[in-house]
Amino acid sequence: MSRTRTLTGRVVAITGGAHGIGREIAATFTAAGARVAIGDIDLDAAREAAAELGVHASRLDVTDPDCQNAFLAEVTRELGPIDIYVANAGLMWVGSFTDEPATATRAQIEVNLLGVINGIKAVAPGMLARGRGHLITVASAGSILPTPGEASYAATKHGVLGYLKAVRAEMRGTGVHVTSIMPGVVDTALAAGTSSGAAKLLTPTEVARAVVRAAARPRFEVTVPAFIGPAVRVVNLLPRPIHDRICAALVPNQLQARKDQRRDYEAGFTGSQR
């Protein structure tokens, strides 16, 4: 069993840190005594959040490897070597897979999957050289659940979990930890107009607390709420017809739940209204 680690003085870099879950992660790490930097494609919002939280802010486009490297170099220069890297930035389009615009598919893959890969490839070598560090990704319960109405989003989150499994296996024994945080539906702009199904709607603070707990006491897979992980493992042992009936009853069908308030959010990365 791993020991609880102090977070005081630890340098933490967070992507997508200007709003929602990322902002709360920054606030919670700061309250725990860590030295925090946030990166976000919206620099004005990042600076506003940083001024309120007392953290460092930079512009960060996670889809651009050069921008990732520049962000990490700036954080290292300002705060010191990065102890904990939190890949949080994400996008989600909701609707039938047959109706999803190609721009939405591409944006989700580039941000949710390639953005994580870009960041981990940039930050991991320094951690490996020092023999310590922690890579934390805010994925989704969609990494392990069938989610109608979120096909491409789920594909990216399944991809993140698969990538982390391989990275973790490669780094076993190096002193670098890997964690996948997999929350259900969270009350943020990303999930506006969707359903949380049988689980309660989470707050960004609940997810942030799970991230910080995992940083203090490393675990690989963390679902929020905690019961989701064990429940999925049990349901996956059942015959497929029973498995499918249980999932249909418990997992939200976003095709039925989707509300019109998603239009403005999704237009931000698809370039069109619908």
Side-chain angles (χ1 to χ4, degrees), residues 42-91:
D42 185 344
L43 180 57
D44 290 339
R47 285 174 171 166
E48 181 179 345
E52 294 173 1
L53 299 175
V55 303
H56 181 79
S58 304
R59 183 184 180 278
L60 172 61
D61 178 355
V62 297
T63 69
D64 182 348
D66 290 337
C67 194
Q68 287 266 21
N69 286 324
F71 169 64
L72 297 174
E74 181 177 336
V75 174
T76 300
R77 185 170 61 251
E78 296 294 327
L79 302 181
I82 296 167
D83 298 298
I84 301 167
Y85 177 81
V86 183
N88 166 75
L91 298 173

Side-chain angles (χ1 to χ4, degrees), residues 111-134:
V111 173
N112 299 354
L113 180 55
L114 293 179
V116 170
I117 293 172
N118 291 338
I120 288 178
K121 288 176 69 176
V123 76
M127 292 181 175
L128 289 168
R130 294 188 297 275
R132 59 182 174 83
H134 199 160

Side-chain angles (χ1 to χ4, degrees), residues 2 12 17 39 44-45 60 62 64 80 97 114 122 155-156 159 161 172 180 200 204 214 227 232-233 257 260 266:
S2 59
V12 182
D44 290 339
L60 172 61
V62 297
D64 182 348
F97 71 91
L114 293 179
T156 64
L161 182 58
R172 188 172 291 118
S180 177
K200 72 168 186 174
F227 76 81
V232 169
R233 286 192 287 273
D260 286 344
E266 291 175 356

Side-chain angles (χ1 to χ4, degrees), residues 5-12 25-36 53-55 79 83-84 212:
R5 303 184 300 172
T6 181
L7 299 176
T8 302
R10 300 283 184 179
V11 176
V12 182
I25 293 171
T28 307
F29 267 117
T30 300
R35 305 174 68 197
V36 176
L53 299 175
V55 303
L79 302 181
D83 298 298
I84 301 167
V212 175

Side-chain angles (χ1 to χ4, degrees), residues 157-243:
K157 297 303 184 177
H158 275 71
V160 165
L161 182 58
Y163 183 75
L164 293 181
K165 286 179 178 179
V167 167
R168 178 173 178 263
E170 286 190 36
M171 297 196 304
R172 188 172 291 118
T174 64
V176 180
H177 298 279
V178 180
T179 295
S180 177
I181 304 289
M182 296 177 283
V185 180
V186 187
D187 187 13
T188 63
L190 179 146
T194 65
S195 168
S196 61
K200 72 168 186 174
L201 181 65
L202 299 168
T203 66
T205 299
E206 288 174 297
V207 180
R209 288 172 178 165
V211 170
V212 175
R213 283 196 299 269
R217 198 176 185 87
R219 294 170 54 198
F220 176 49
E221 294 186 24
V222 177
T223 54
V224 188
F227 76 81
I228 291 178
V232 169
R233 286 192 287 273
V234 170
V235 171
N236 284 344
L237 296 174
L238 300 174
R240 180 56 59 178
I242 299 174
H243 169 280

